[in-house]
Amino acid sequence: MMTCEEEANYSVETIGCKDMITKKCKKRWRMTAAQQWWSALATLTLLALATRQAFLSQPSGTLWDEVHFGTFANHYINRTFYHDVHPPLGKMAIAGVAYLAGYNGTFDFQMGKLYTHDVNYTAIRSMMAVVGSSLVPLAFLLVWELSNSLSAAVLASICILCDTFLHRLNTLIVLDPLLLASIMAAIYGTIKFHNQRHRTIKKVDLDAGAVLDGFDPSQEPLLVRNVTYVYCKIKFRLALLYEGKFMIVCGEQWQVLPHTVARGAVLILLPVAVYLSSFVIHFWILTKWSVNGGGFYHTKFFAAFDNTEYDSVSFPEYIHFGANITIQSSRPLCGFLESWYDLFPSEWTAPCQQVTTATLRDNATVMWTIKKVDLDAGAVLDGFDPSQEPLLVRNGDYVMLTHSETGRSLRSHGHRAPITKRHFQVCGYGDDGTGGPFETWQLIIAGVEVGEPLAIINQDFMLKHHKMNCFLKANEKVQLPKEWAFNGAKEVTCTKNRDQPGTEWHVNWNNSPKLKKRVSVRKRTVGLWGKIVQQHLNMFIGNSILINMEEEERSARPWMWPTLWQVQVMGSYVVNKTSGEEMYSVGMTNPFLTYLNLLCLLAVPLLTVCHTYFNVRCSNQSSQDIDSRRRTLVTCWWLLLLWATHYVPFFFMSRVLYYHHYCPSYIFSCMITGVLLTWACETVSRWGKEEQRTTLLSALQLISITALLASYTYFFPLATYITGFLFEYNTRLNPGLDAFYFGQMWPEFGYRKNEFETVTSTHVGSWISGHLDNPHINATLYYLTPLNNTGDHLNSIHPIHASNFSLWSPSVISHSDTHWLNPTAVFKDYIDGR
């Protein structure tokens, strides 16, 4: 005979024995179980709060992404716009927490900088730790709803409580505490709603889950995968409604329709409303621009903010030949078309003057003079004569763009681009503004009749090369090597495919002095919804190119995460200048728990196979064993689906990844461990005598909890801070780490230190460091390089004048001394005159 407690632990849905429980037994169970349940939840919550509030003041400097999110808090407090690849809700919450802590937004968050006395960073970390500690009770509630097992809920939440990386991550001024808590809350709300299916639909329950679903992508676009699980659960339930016997009776399948409509309306429209509202608030707060970073965004977005160079500025609506203009790619993150005196290294491509794009505007490098090319006469008309009527730039015109500072003209030819070899090179060529057919481009405005004038800012155009039949293209993904290109400069090429992204450009600064009628730039900017669209386009592109080559050796691919192959250094500070002793923080999960999670992940499919085999081959099993395995597997597979939806997508991402990206999946693997440990303890306890089973079960569960707490205690420095020497053997931790070291890359603790130093100090490339020191290379010389030069053909070292071009004899252009031809003076006049 089963006891009352054993009888009540069976799922009502699974064994349908609700009516079999006597009222007396049910009443007695409810009183006892309720007390145990609330006691367990309260104890775990208090433990989470207490442990997460420990040692928040150490280290006393910025750690890891506190640099970024502290800077974002500065922007919100100062109401200045910033560029980032993540949605704003979580960053606004961090700014709100900092504001409540009395922070005034003046600290310069930099890596390795100690907090000053006026920054109450401990209070900010403390408030973030309160949010982070909610993971423990949320795990308890989630596993309880899935398994209806108090023991499984307790063990799962203790696994999360005892992890060192979750502890460290949830006590920093970063997005992760809010992000992980919203993931857990959204999943819990969905499962809770599913478990109330036998009751009348409660709108408030559905709305709460929908709002929480909207929180996830509002903080991190990658967490749309969290919503994937939610809708899998909904579809599963709707299938049960359609297939259930109670719906088939009397042909009442039509009742599925209102369920579908209700879930669709609330779980789609409401999360979208929450998501979009975060952007509305974001742009309501941020009204000023903070830095000269307009190149990240289209001009009509950038100019919509205060504190830009476009404040109270007006330009002629159209452009005449001879005008000085700046040209910006309409593709986000590409920036302004620029050039300077430096040449491309001959080891990479033809060594003519570099033409690139940059997101920060340097007045001397981005100004171009636009001239008209007369193909019939073989001449270039500069339009400089003040007595001549202005000749407008129109769709279909052939033009030449001369860099105002260096006098070189925009050119493409048969040489391959330095990085993207399938495209042609774009560079600067010619002396004193001269040029020829290879400096000739046709201006094309898509969707506009030939002959229509080119308008500023809002009208995009393409530049088609006259001879090569290719289109000028900016590439946001290709950053040129810093050894020979300015830091941050991106490649400009000429591509045969006009449909490739990056071939559209616009004029974002217009100095056409012959045109008197002017229009306000601010009237050509986008509104609120235009800002939201532009922001999403920038976020999408920014995430796809988020690769920092300087940190790539410390990035970790997804296969490394479950095996703890590589960890993260989150910051270090010297605390003893005499001995050099450091205090540092390392992002590393509890090794004992990490490998236990890995074993349990592998055990789920194995247990499934065993369960199927036993059901088919073993007829003498007890119903209790069968039901216990089935309930455990159902719970584990739902959790495994959650683990997979938050883990597998990373294999298809090209962006740089770090160990903290595994945390959402890691939480669910901890829950799987708790559920399987509970099943294992219950199964083993049934092997003993009937009168000893309860004692044996308690002993096994106590051993499991003790092992987890002991590992947490031993590795507690990983959860807070470590004193010693970074990249050296640590007498406090290494003896324990030795048991879990299987050849991983752990240079933080002295493992494979020499190999790590070799990897990080070696740079492989074809650039020859002494090449740019050659005194024969300067802005007025061009190496005679055969057309379509390949790597097998060495460049001839015969310097000749850059204007030596015999395909036609271009007209000699005499530059005027008018002030508007000086790009620096142009910017100064406009800015000073505002």
Side-chain angles (χ1 to χ4, degrees):
M1 294 295 292
M2 290 187 295
T3 63
C4 296
E5 184 175 355
E6 289 175 334
E7 187 178 22
N9 278 335
Y10 278 99
S11 170
V12 173
E13 179 190 3
T14 304
I15 59 178
C17 61
K18 185 175 181 180
D19 296 334
M20 298 171 58
I21 305 175
T22 63
K23 292 183 179 181
K24 181 178 179 181
C25 181
K26 186 176 180 182
K27 181 179 179 180
R28 186 173 45 171
W29 171 80
R30 278 182 176 173
M31 292 176 60
T32 305
Q35 292 173 352
Q36 292 177 349
W37 193 92
W38 283 108
S39 297
L41 178 60
T43 302
L44 290 166
T45 303
L46 290 173
L47 281 173
L49 288 169
T51 55
R52 269 52 175 175
Q53 294 297 322
F55 305 107
L56 291 176
S57 61
Q58 299 297 334
S60 58
T62 56
L63 289 177
W64 190 50
D65 274 357
E66 286 186 337
V67 172
H68 300 300
F69 292 102
T71 302
F72 297 148
N74 285 348
H75 283 288
Y76 282 108
I77 293 173
N78 298 319
R79 306 196 68 174
T80 54
F81 185 79
Y82 62 90
H83 166 70
D84 189 44
V85 297
H86 298 144
L89 182 60
K91 292 170 290 188
M92 285 192 291
I94 294 173
V97 167
Y99 182 79
L100 291 174
Y103 176 58
N104 59 10
T106 58
F107 181 74
D108 184 17
F109 285 88
Q110 294 181 6
M111 185 62 70
K113 185 173 183 178
L114 293 173
Y115 287 109
T116 55
H117 67 277
D118 59 329
V119 181
N120 193 359
Y121 69 96
T122 303
I124 305 174
R125 286 179 178 176
S126 177
M127 286 188 270
M128 300 305 296
V130 171
V131 178
S133 62
S134 66
L135 296 183
V136 175
L138 282 171
F140 178 92
L141 295 172
L142 197 154
V143 175
W144 167 261
E145 291 294 332
L146 280 174
S147 66
N148 199 28
S149 170
L150 180 60
S151 300
V154 169
L155 272 173
S157 54
I158 287 178
C159 287
I160 293 175
L161 174 71
C162 294
D163 186 71
T164 52
F165 193 23
L166 292 176
H167 180 144
R168 176 73 278 181
L169 203 60
N170 288 324
T171 56
L172 299 179
I173 310 172
V174 295
L175 186 63
D176 297 79
L178 298 162
L179 196 60
L180 296 173
S182 63
I183 292 172
M184 296 280 286
I187 297 298
Y188 169 70
T190 303
I191 296 172
K192 181 70 174 178
F193 173 72
H194 174 76
N195 287 349
Q196 301 300 314
R197 60 194 177 279
H198 58 281
R199 300 168 56 191
T200 305
I201 292 180
K202 296 294 184 181
K203 184 178 181 298
V204 67
D205 293 340
L206 193 60
D207 287 353
V211 171
L212 291 168
D213 282 341
F215 283 170
D216 293 345
S218 299
Q219 300 174 75
E220 167 66 74
L222 298 177
L223 287 177
V224 173
R225 58 186 183 269
N226 191 52
V227 182
T228 303
Y229 170 83
V230 173
Y231 290 104
C232 285
K233 192 80 172 177
I234 292 170
K235 189 172 182 180
F236 173 73
R237 178 56 193 157
L238 290 175
L240 292 180
L241 284 175
Y242 186 81
E243 297 295 337
K245 295 181 179 179
F246 64 99
M247 297 299 295
I248 296 179
V249 176
C250 302
E252 293 180 348
Q253 289 95 334
W254 64 270
Q255 293 185 23
V256 176
L257 181 61
H259 283 269
T260 305
V261 172
R263 286 164 170 82
V266 177
L267 292 173
I268 294 177
L269 298 181
L270 191 55
V272 169
V274 171
Y275 178 76
L276 292 178
S277 65
S278 68
F279 282 91
V280 174
I281 299 172
H282 171 74
F283 287 114
W284 174 73
I285 297 174
L286 306 182
T287 58
K288 298 182 293 184
W289 201 271
S290 59
V291 293
N292 178 18
F296 283 115
Y297 294 85
H298 198 288
T299 305
K300 58 188 177 184
F301 177 93
F302 166 67
F305 292 85
D306 298 329
N307 196 34
T308 71
E309 56 261 39
Y310 293 103
D311 290 353
S312 304
V313 168
S314 61
F315 293 140
E317 182 176 9
Y318 302 111
I319 303 104
H320 67 67
F321 285 108
N324 277 357
I325 60 176
T326 63
I327 300 172
Q328 181 180 346
S329 173
S330 298
R331 180 78 169 170
L333 307 180
C334 290
F336 308 96
L337 186 68
E338 67 169 4
S339 184
W340 58 85
Y341 286 101
D342 297 63
L343 308 184
F344 285 110
S346 59
E347 285 80 8
W348 294 76
T349 185
C352 50
Q353 185 170 294
Q354 293 184 32
V355 172
T356 59
T357 59
T359 53
L360 294 179
R361 174 154 56 193
D362 181 348
N363 299 349
T365 64
V366 299
M367 188 69 75
W368 298 82
T369 304
I370 187 167
K371 307 168 187 178
K372 183 176 177 61
V373 176
D374 188 339
L375 291 180
D376 296 330
V380 179
L381 308 177
D382 57 22
F384 292 165
D385 190 348
S387 63
Q388 292 181 347
E389 290 295 318
L391 184 62
L392 297 184
V393 179
R394 299 180 182 274
N395 183 24
D397 284 349
Y398 287 91
V399 303
M400 186 172 73
L401 290 167
T402 300
H403 192 244
S404 298
E405 183 75 10
T406 64
R408 300 302 177 97
S409 297
L410 188 69
R411 169 190 176 92
S412 184
H413 46 209
H415 299 286
R416 297 297 173 180
I419 304 297
T420 311
K421 295 299 183 182
R422 64 183 180 276
H423 295 170
F424 296 116
Q425 181 192 28
V426 173
C427 62
Y429 187 88
D431 279 341
D432 300 327
T434 58
F438 283 87
E439 289 76 45
T440 301
W441 304 79
Q442 185 181 19
L443 189 145
I444 300 174
I445 308 173
V448 175
E449 292 184 3
V450 175
E452 288 293 317
L454 172 66
I456 62 171
I457 298 177
N458 284 348
Q459 200 165 51
D460 295 335
F461 63 89
M462 293 185 291
L463 289 174
K464 181 182 179 182
H465 195 266
H466 171 55
K467 284 292 184 181
M468 305 304 298
N469 196 30
C470 58
F471 295 85
L472 187 70
K473 170 183 167 58
N475 196 331
E476 76 280 0
K477 296 183 178 181
V478 180
Q479 185 169 320
L480 297 174
K482 291 187 296 184
E483 292 87 352
W484 53 264
F486 286 165
N487 189 15
K490 295 183 178 180
E491 187 182 43
V492 174
T493 62
C494 201
T495 175
K496 292 282 188 178
N497 184 0
R498 64 176 293 169
D499 296 325
Q500 281 190 348
T503 56
E504 292 187 333
W505 305 79
H506 65 274
V507 175
N508 75 331
W509 192 279
N510 177 24
N511 183 30
S512 296
K514 295 183 180 181
L515 301 178
K516 304 304 180 185
K517 184 179 179 181
R518 310 172 80 85
V519 294
S520 172
V521 176
R522 294 297 291 268
K523 292 183 178 180
R524 300 212 157 203
T525 58
V526 296
L528 173 62
W529 295 111
K531 287 181 179 179
I532 293 175
V533 171
Q534 286 280 328
Q535 183 77 51
H536 279 80
L537 182 59
N538 275 54
M539 283 166 27
F540 177 78
I541 297 175
N543 268 295
S544 66
I545 66 171
L546 193 61
I547 299 177
N548 188 338
M549 297 304 293
E550 293 181 352
E551 296 182 4
E552 193 168 6
E553 68 273 1
R554 298 306 292 138
S555 65
R557 295 309 302 166
W559 67 266
M560 301 178 179
W561 300 339
T563 59
L564 202 60
W565 184 265
Q566 191 160 269
V567 297
Q568 296 176 226
V569 176
M570 312 191 84
S572 64
Y573 296 89
V574 176
V575 293
N576 189 326
K577 294 183 179 180
T578 302
S579 64
E581 186 180 29
E582 296 174 291
M583 176 184 292
Y584 58 97
S585 183
V586 173
M588 183 178 187
T589 53
N590 183 334
F592 173 77
L593 182 58
T594 302
Y595 287 103
L596 183 61
N597 288 347
L598 182 60
L599 290 175
C600 290
L601 285 172
L602 298 174
V604 173
L606 179 62
L607 181 61
T608 304
V609 172
C610 294
H611 176 68
T612 304
Y613 175 81
F614 289 151
N615 286 348
V616 173
R617 294 293 184 182
C618 303
S619 58
N620 58 346
Q621 298 179 91
S622 67
S623 60
Q624 188 176 4
D625 288 340
I626 296 174
D627 289 337
S628 176
R629 281 200 309 270
R630 193 183 73 83
R631 284 185 287 112
T632 299
L633 286 172
V634 169
T635 302
C636 286
W637 276 106
W638 278 116
L639 290 171
L640 194 63
L641 175 62
L642 280 166
W643 175 84
T645 54
H646 289 82
Y647 175 63
V648 174
F650 284 110
F651 284 95
F652 304 98
M653 296 182 188
S654 58
R655 57 159 287 172
V656 62
L657 298 171
Y658 298 102
Y659 190 54
H660 77 100
H661 287 115
Y662 185 54
C663 281
S665 292
Y666 185 77
I667 288 174
F668 298 114
S669 67
C670 287
M671 296 182 195
I672 292 174
T673 299
V675 173
L676 281 182
L677 280 177
T678 301
W679 170 81
C681 291
E682 291 174 350
T683 302
V684 173
S685 67
R686 286 196 291 270
W687 296 349
K689 296 180 180 179
E690 186 172 353
E691 62 274 10
Q692 298 176 343
R693 289 179 182 177
T694 303
T695 304
L696 181 58
L697 176 61
S698 300
L700 292 172
Q701 291 174 343
L702 182 60
I703 292 172
S704 301
I705 294 173
T706 302
L708 290 169
L709 292 174
S711 66
Y712 179 53
T713 303
Y714 184 86
F715 292 113
F716 192 71
L718 295 175
T720 52
Y721 65 90
I722 305 169
T723 55
F725 298 94
L726 186 61
F727 300 115
E728 297 292 344
Y729 183 92
N730 187 283
T731 55
R732 168 68 173 83
L733 291 172
N734 279 55
L737 292 174
D738 290 343
F740 302 98
Y741 180 71
F742 306 107
Q744 301 93 321
M745 180 72 80
W746 293 348
E748 294 80 1
F749 305 103
Y751 298 97
R752 297 173 67 176
K753 175 186 175 183
N754 293 335
E755 181 180 342
F756 172 77
E757 290 176 344
T758 302
V759 171
T760 56
S761 62
T762 302
H763 299 280
V764 179
S766 60
W767 179 69
I768 301 175
S769 59
H771 177 74
L772 294 183
D773 296 330
N774 189 331
H776 297 292
I777 300 179
N778 56 64
T780 62
L781 299 180
Y782 177 76
Y783 283 117
L784 181 61
T785 307
L787 222 57
N788 295 316
N789 181 42
T790 64
D792 298 331
H793 185 93
L794 297 178
N795 296 321
S796 302
I797 312 301
H798 304 308
I800 59 173
H801 289 291
S803 58
N804 185 359
F805 200 83
S806 58
L807 295 183
W808 81 30
S809 299
S811 302
V812 177
I813 300 175
S814 58
H815 282 270
S816 171
D817 293 329
T818 52
H819 73 280
W820 50 271
L821 286 176
N822 186 327
T824 305
V826 169
F827 278 95
K828 187 175 186 301
D829 290 344
Y830 270 94
I831 294 173
D832 292 347
R834 288 200 302 229

